């Protein structure tokens, strides 16, 4: 089911520089139908705009590392994606393999059903195992908030912090709902300042990015990277805003 774009009014506060905004974005290349040529084009977009990272499918990590070496764009990938239902051992193996291929950031999906069932200890232990397997690389924990109530969310966020994760993250982009203002606010007030918040799912406009950044998100999973950053450049130079024609699934 497509995740709707976040509807927000036009931002009327101070604007970041294009370079600052780009370093908030993980350019997402996770849709299952992407061809190698489409992935390569996406890597070129990330390099051109100097995003914080790309987030690619596991099978694309080696190509992304080769293409982006020296660009300043980190290579990220996903573990247990998108359902989170793999065993802990499988997630650990996947993490170790991807780190060995050069991945610098790992976005892992929790066992959603375990958290919904109240087994927070299992969730925390699994996150900690992935953090250890990542050997110091950035680990972002995806909660798929659309399936959780606020009590479950907060328990999961606290578990991620206790397990040593660097980020808590809203969603995969493949569930019925994505990032919301309420969830970003809940994430930010639940975890300590040293744990970052990543918004993913429906962040397709500059206005949405800036509003969620105001609420505490510091990183954004996005397919509409060019639309967002070109809109920012246009506003800074007085040009007309662009139309968002980005895909509507997978962030």
């Amino acid at each position: 089911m497509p995740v709707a774009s976040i509807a927000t009014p036009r931002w009327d506060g101070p604007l970041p520089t294009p370079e600052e905004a780009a370093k908030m974005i993980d350019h997402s290349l996770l849709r299952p139908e992407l061809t190698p040529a489409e992935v390569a084009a996406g890597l070129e977009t990330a390099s051109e705009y100097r995003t914080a990272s790309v987030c690619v499918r596991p099978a694309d990590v080696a190509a992304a590392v080769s293409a982006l070496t020296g660009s300043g764009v980190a290579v990220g990938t996903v573990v247990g994606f998108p359902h989170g239902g793999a065993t802990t051992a499988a997630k650990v193996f996947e993490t170790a393999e991807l780190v060995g291929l050069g991945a610098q950031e790992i976005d892992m999906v929790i066992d959603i059903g375990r958290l919904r069932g109240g087994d927070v200890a299992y969730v925390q232990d699994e996150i900690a195992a992935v953090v250890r397997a990542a050997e110091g690389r950035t680990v972002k924990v995806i909660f798929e908030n659309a399936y959780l109530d606020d009590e479950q969310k907060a328990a999961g966020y606290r578990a991620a912090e206790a397990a040593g994760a660097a980020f808590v993250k809203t969603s995969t982009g493949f569930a019925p709902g994505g990032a919301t203002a309420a969830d970003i606010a809940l994430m930010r007030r639940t975890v300590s300042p040293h744990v970052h918040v990543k918004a993913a799912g429906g962040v397709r406009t500059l206005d949405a990015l800036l509003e969620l950044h105001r609420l505490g998100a510091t990183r954004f999973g996005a397919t509409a990277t060019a639309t967002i950053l070109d809109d920012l450049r246009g506003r800074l130079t007085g040009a007309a805003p662009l139309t968002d024609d980005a895909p509507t699934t997978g962030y």
Side-chain angles (χ1 to χ4, degrees), residues 15-246:
L15 293 172
T17 67
E19 293 76 18
E20 290 168 338
K23 290 306 178 186
M24 299 181 199
I25 294 175
D26 295 342
H27 185 54
S28 173
L29 298 169
L30 294 172
R31 298 196 320 278
E33 77 278 13
L34 292 176
T35 66
E38 289 168 336
V39 171
L43 297 176
E44 289 180 7
T45 296
S47 181
E48 175 186 351
Y49 287 90
R50 297 290 192 267
T51 58
S53 81
V54 293
C55 193
V56 298
R57 301 167 304 194
D60 299 320
V61 167
V65 170
S66 177
L68 294 174
T69 296
S71 70
V73 178
V75 173
T77 190
V78 289
V79 163
F81 192 88
H83 297 129
T87 65
T88 298
K91 291 179 184 179
V92 166
F93 180 88
E94 193 174 14
T95 301
E97 180 183 22
L98 295 170
V99 165
L101 290 171
Q104 297 160 279
E105 300 190 349
I106 300 292
D107 289 31
M108 67 162 290
V109 186
I110 64 160
D111 189 314
I112 302 161
R114 294 271 188 159
L115 182 56
R116 291 186 69 241
D119 196 349
V120 179
Y122 180 97
V123 172
Q124 181 172 322
D125 289 346
E126 183 170 82
I127 297 168
V130 170
V131 168
R132 289 192 296 272
E135 297 183 343
R137 279 75 169 182
T138 297
V139 173
K140 307 174 202 141
V141 181
I142 306 173
F143 287 93
E144 208 67 289
N145 286 335
Y147 299 128
L148 305 172
D149 63 30
D150 283 357
E151 183 177 351
Q152 293 161 351
K153 293 170 191 173
Y157 306 155
R158 290 191 289 267
E161 178 171 358
F167 280 80
V168 290
K169 177 178 170 182
T170 59
S171 21
T172 63
F174 290 89
T180 68
D183 279 342
I184 297 301
L186 176 62
M187 295 171 112
R188 186 62 280 160
R189 67 176 179 264
T190 301
V191 296
S192 302
H194 68 273
V195 179
H196 293 272
V197 173
K198 178 174 174 179
V203 184
R204 299 192 184 93
T205 67
L206 176 62
D207 297 305
L209 182 148
L210 294 175
E211 175 60 17
L212 296 182
H213 180 59
R214 181 186 70 81
L215 293 170
T218 56
R219 197 79 73 86
F220 299 86
T223 56
T225 299
T227 297
I228 291 167
L229 295 177
D230 288 347
D231 187 6
L232 174 59
R233 291 172 177 174
R235 293 191 199 188
L236 290 170
T237 60
L242 298 177
T243 300
D244 175 18
D245 57 359

